[in-house]
Amino acid sequence: MKRHKVKTLSIIFALYLLVALMTGCVSQSTNTLDDNTVETGDAKLNIVASLFPHYDFARAIAGEYANVTLILPPGIESHAYEPTPKDIIKITESDVFLYTSETMEPWAHALLESIDSKHTRVIDMSSGIELIAANHDDEETAPQAASEDDHEEGEYDPHYWLDPNNALIMVESIKNALVEKMPEKQAFFEANAAELVLALETVDRDFTAAFEKTQSKTILSGGHFAFGYFATRYGLDNMSPYVGFSPDAEPTPKRIADLIDTIERTKAKAIFYEELIDPRVATIISEESGVEMLLLHGAHNISKDELTGGITYLDIMKGNLERLKVGLGYVE
């Protein structure tokens, strides 16, 4: 992201904050995920997360010692999200703010200049994770490690959380932040984090074992492919009619035709589609090729129904595993 754009966003956020304070928008109401308000009080930490995985890991680790708020409303596509002045107030008043990266959320990076670091512990959840370069070419290429220049300019894939091994690093970052803010509960936070680590390691082993028995090692996606880290981890290839991750991007007719030809040539069993976005391209491909459509959930955000059902990151990944086994031809 360009530096002048960050500066402009910072000015906008500062104006939002000033207006909110002048009009008495600072809320002291009780926290619920539905209206995303943040409970105040000394007994619990207030944690604000920009994306569902951060939110889910934080609530699992913090337990009853924190109010955890997902700033994204249920059902909202994450790439297109922009915070409201009310959201900005919640973030600046939080004890811990977890955000994905400058690439995924340039608004969060710009907001950092308005946050009192003595009060709010800000965690870039990509810290400590080996990032891979984003693929903007027309031809499929293998993911490559991102350089420092790529990181600064935002030219890397932001979907690191879909590799369970990267999720382990995220869990460690969150645990450390909570211990720093509430050291008297260190043993509690460490025990919960250890339990989450064991579950993530189990999921990782399940994926590894499953892909050793699938007839295909190529994920055919009708949406914006967010599973680059996942594919790299498990030795998979992918094919999508889209280039890049923007929800506004449009696939070319040639890429759609190529994907349909690939399905017919390889006798593929399914076309995968992404969550919270109209799967119109996947639907076209499914109708033309006769294969079924299967969800490949990127865990950016969750729907209202998923929220009501109490879904977790682990639930999402286990669901992906079962659908990938069907789509890639798992054989016992």
Side-chain angles (χ1 to χ4, degrees):
M1 167 173 201
K2 303 300 182 183
R3 295 186 184 279
H4 71 269
K5 188 175 181 182
V6 172
K7 184 175 181 180
T8 300
L9 287 171
S10 299
I11 294 171
I12 292 172
F13 288 133
L15 290 173
Y16 275 160
L17 181 59
L18 178 61
V19 170
L21 290 172
M22 290 177 66
T23 55
C25 290
V26 180
S27 173
Q28 301 294 323
S29 55
T30 301
N31 178 47
T32 66
L33 187 58
D34 290 337
D35 66 8
N36 281 335
T37 53
V38 179
E39 181 178 325
T40 61
D42 297 328
K44 296 185 178 183
L45 294 173
N46 286 325
I47 303 172
V48 174
S50 66
L51 214 65
F52 178 73
H54 324 334
Y55 162 80
D56 186 52
F57 297 159
R59 64 178 178 173
I61 298 168
E64 65 266 33
Y65 294 109
N67 297 307
V68 186
T69 299
L70 176 61
I71 207 72
L72 276 172
I76 296 297
E77 204 287 319
S78 59
H79 295 83
Y81 170 75
E82 290 290 342
T84 66
K86 184 178 179 182
D87 294 335
I88 295 169
I89 294 295
K90 293 170 192 169
I91 292 170
T92 58
E93 290 190 332
S94 66
D95 296 298
V96 179
F97 173 47
L98 311 171
Y99 78 103
T100 311
S101 67
E102 179 178 354
T103 293
M104 187 76 182
E105 296 139 356
W107 58 264
H109 183 82
L111 181 59
L112 299 186
E113 295 180 14
S114 303
I115 293 179
D116 180 1
S117 60
K118 294 181 180 179
H119 173 72
T120 303
R121 181 74 166 89
V122 178
I123 306 295
D124 178 346
M125 297 301 296
S126 69
S127 296
I129 292 174
E130 183 178 352
L131 302 171
I132 61 176
N135 177 20
H136 296 295
D137 299 326
D138 288 337
E139 299 298 328
E140 296 298 328
T141 59
Q144 299 176 355
S147 68
E148 289 298 321
D149 290 339
D150 288 335
H151 191 288
E152 182 173 340
E153 294 300 319
E155 295 299 319
Y156 63 89
D157 184 344
H159 303 92
Y160 53 80
W161 63 87
L162 290 168
D163 178 348
N165 283 273
N166 289 338
L168 295 175
I169 298 173
M170 297 165 66
V171 167
E172 181 74 8
S173 296
I174 294 171
K175 181 202 71 177
N176 290 341
L178 298 189
V179 169
E180 179 183 319
K181 279 291 185 178
M182 192 177 281
E184 67 272 19
K185 300 300 179 184
Q186 178 174 351
F188 179 85
F189 297 147
E190 289 181 343
N192 285 348
E195 184 176 345
L196 187 52
V197 164
L198 288 176
L200 289 167
E201 290 175 339
T202 298
V203 166
D204 177 54
R205 288 194 296 271
D206 290 345
F207 275 119
T208 299
F211 294 132
E212 290 176 352
K213 297 182 178 181
T214 56
Q215 295 173 319
S216 174
K217 298 296 187 290
T218 301
I219 302 173
L220 302 178
S221 173
H224 307 81
F225 192 72
F227 281 73
Y229 291 88
F230 180 90
T232 299
R233 167 63 183 166
Y234 300 110
L236 304 175
D237 295 318
N238 71 274
M239 187 173 183
S240 167
Y242 289 87
V243 176
F245 313 113
S246 171
D248 298 324
E250 292 292 338
T252 65
K254 180 181 183 304
R255 292 178 72 95
I256 294 176
D258 288 346
L259 187 48
I260 293 173
D261 288 344
T262 299
I263 290 173
E264 294 174 349
R265 184 179 68 255
T266 62
K267 308 299 182 184
K269 301 179 182 299
I271 183 76
F272 291 93
Y273 66 94
E274 56 194 319
E275 79 282 4
L276 302 180
I277 294 178
D278 180 12
R280 57 186 180 84
V281 174
T283 300
I284 292 171
I285 294 172
S286 174
E287 292 174 348
E288 289 293 324
S289 63
V291 298
E292 68 176 312
M293 292 172 57
L294 295 173
L295 171 67
L296 192 57
H297 200 312
H300 303 76
N301 195 10
I302 55 174
S303 67
K304 291 182 180 179
D305 288 342
E306 288 171 329
L307 170 61
T308 302
I311 197 169
T312 67
Y313 170 92
L314 289 165
D315 293 332
I316 289 173
M317 297 303 281
K318 290 174 183 177
N320 284 338
L321 172 60
E322 295 308 311
R323 291 185 291 272
L324 283 165
K325 287 167 71 173
V326 172
L328 300 185
Y330 178 81
V331 178
E332 288 284 1

